[in-house]
Amino acid sequence: STTYIEQGKQPKQMKKTFELGVLSGILTTNELFVDYTKGYFELVVRAEDDAKHMDTSKIGVYVLRDEHRVKVVINDMPDYVRTFREEFIAFASNITGAVVNMDDIQYHVNEGEIDFTKTDMLIHVVNTKTNKIMDVDTVITTIDENYDSLERLFKDFNVIEVLPFVPPRTDKDNIDIVRILLILIGVVIFFGAWIFICLMLRYKRLYKRNVRAAIAGSIGSHGVGMEMFDVPNTNKYSFEGANPIWLDPYYSQFAEFQE
């Protein structure tokens, strides 16, 4: 069985979120977890062998984001850091009283540049009381509060600093975002105004043309003697409203003969 647990809310039973291989034991997912980042999943797994020996275990599954990660910068090569990672994690868990999990070990990255002489150890910390991933600020505060106990750890393992994996957003970043939004709004308004002006000019031309055509038809119907051909911007091929009898050449000649 699978249960989604979020602090302050009722546990929710999930039926098809995960699929566990009966023989392989591989746990796979069947959906996206965008809406489940504030809690965790608790899976009850039962195993049985051919001798009918059974056992049950609970598994906690967390949705980890980069905002949950803490970067520990170590002044050593990654290959060397991997040799003492288990010792480092155990010591840190003992001091902080939380579960420290290591996510990755990679070369140090500072403002987009890679430093091959240093290492970034990416970790996240789980609160043992709430079974919830601790916020980065809480982790760093806990480390600061236990700095006296961790000082030996930092010296033995050449730890330079501990900081969030995702840098906090600065005022400059906020200003840049606002500037980009204003530019986009300005572009949309410009193109909207340009399209509106083009449509208005087109409708104005059509209106003037219809007015000229109406005036020409009115003048011709009163016998003033002005032909429709003499009015500019009118369609000389339009015979709307004309008597269809006189449009036939035969009847036209007959009319001239009668006259």
Side-chain angles (χ1 to χ4, degrees):
S1 63
T2 304
T3 306
Y4 177 69
I5 301 174
E6 184 176 342
Q7 191 174 8
K9 294 185 178 180
Q10 291 292 332
K12 182 180 180 181
Q13 294 294 325
M14 312 293 292
K15 294 183 179 180
K16 298 182 179 180
T17 305
F18 299 97
E19 183 176 346
L20 183 64
V22 177
L23 299 178
S24 64
I26 297 176
L27 187 67
T28 58
T29 60
N30 292 324
E31 62 177 287
L32 299 176
F33 295 96
V34 178
D35 298 329
Y36 304 105
T37 58
K38 296 182 179 180
Y40 68 97
F41 295 91
E42 185 178 85
L43 283 70
V44 178
V45 180
R46 187 181 65 181
E48 181 179 347
D49 60 11
D50 295 337
K52 301 301 180 181
H53 298 142
M54 294 189 306
D55 195 6
T56 304
S57 178
K58 289 185 179 180
I59 301 175
V61 179
Y62 304 86
V63 180
L64 182 64
R65 304 194 313 268
D66 286 339
E67 290 80 4
H68 293 144
R69 290 177 167 178
V70 176
K71 180 167 66 174
V72 181
V73 182
I74 301 174
N75 192 24
D76 272 311
M77 301 286 287
D79 291 339
Y80 177 71
V81 173
R82 291 188 180 95
T83 61
F84 61 77
R85 59 182 179 182
E86 299 298 335
E87 184 181 357
F88 180 90
I89 294 299
F91 195 90
S93 299
N94 186 36
I95 296 299
T96 58
V99 179
V100 179
N101 298 294
M102 190 197 64
D103 302 325
D104 195 10
I105 293 178
Q106 61 187 23
Y107 286 107
H108 176 58
V109 180
N110 184 22
E111 296 181 356
E113 296 183 0
I114 301 177
D115 188 347
F116 294 98
T117 64
K118 298 181 179 64
T119 300
D120 288 342
M121 178 186 288
L122 306 182
I123 63 173
H124 71 275
V125 182
V126 179
N127 191 319
T128 56
K129 297 180 179 179
T130 62
N131 289 327
K132 184 178 179 182
I133 299 177
M134 296 173 61
D135 295 332
V136 172
D137 295 336
T138 305
V139 174
I140 295 178
T141 302
T142 304
I143 292 174
D144 292 338
E145 292 174 351
N146 296 274
Y147 181 78
D148 293 337
S149 301
L150 293 170
E151 185 177 4
R152 175 177 167 271
L153 174 69
F154 289 170
K155 289 182 179 180
D156 292 344
F157 297 108
N158 291 327
V159 176
I160 300 174
E161 59 180 343
V162 179
L163 64 161
F165 177 64
V166 178
R169 194 178 298 278
T170 61
D171 293 339
K172 182 179 180 299
D173 296 332
N174 295 329
I175 293 174
D176 292 339
I177 293 175
V178 173
R179 187 178 300 170
I180 292 173
L181 291 176
L182 291 176
I183 292 174
L184 291 176
I185 293 173
V187 170
V188 172
I189 293 175
F190 171 78
F191 279 105
W194 181 72
I195 294 173
F196 177 77
I197 292 173
C198 291
L199 291 175
M200 289 298 100
L201 291 176
R202 176 174 175 81
Y203 287 140
K204 183 178 180 181
R205 290 175 57 189
L206 292 175
Y207 176 75
K208 287 184 176 180
R209 184 173 180 179
N210 292 334
V211 170
R212 292 192 186 101
I215 293 175
S218 177
I219 293 175
S221 64
H222 286 79
V224 178
M226 179 179 292
E227 292 291 332
M228 178 175 60
F229 301 168
D230 300 330
V231 180
N233 295 328
T234 55
N235 191 351
K236 64 182 180 180
Y237 298 104
S238 176
F239 294 92
E240 183 178 357
N243 191 338
I245 294 178
W246 305 116
L247 298 182
D248 190 294
Y250 174 79
Y251 290 105
S252 178
Q253 295 176 2
F254 178 77
E256 292 178 359
F257 175 77
Q258 290 294 334
E259 291 178 357

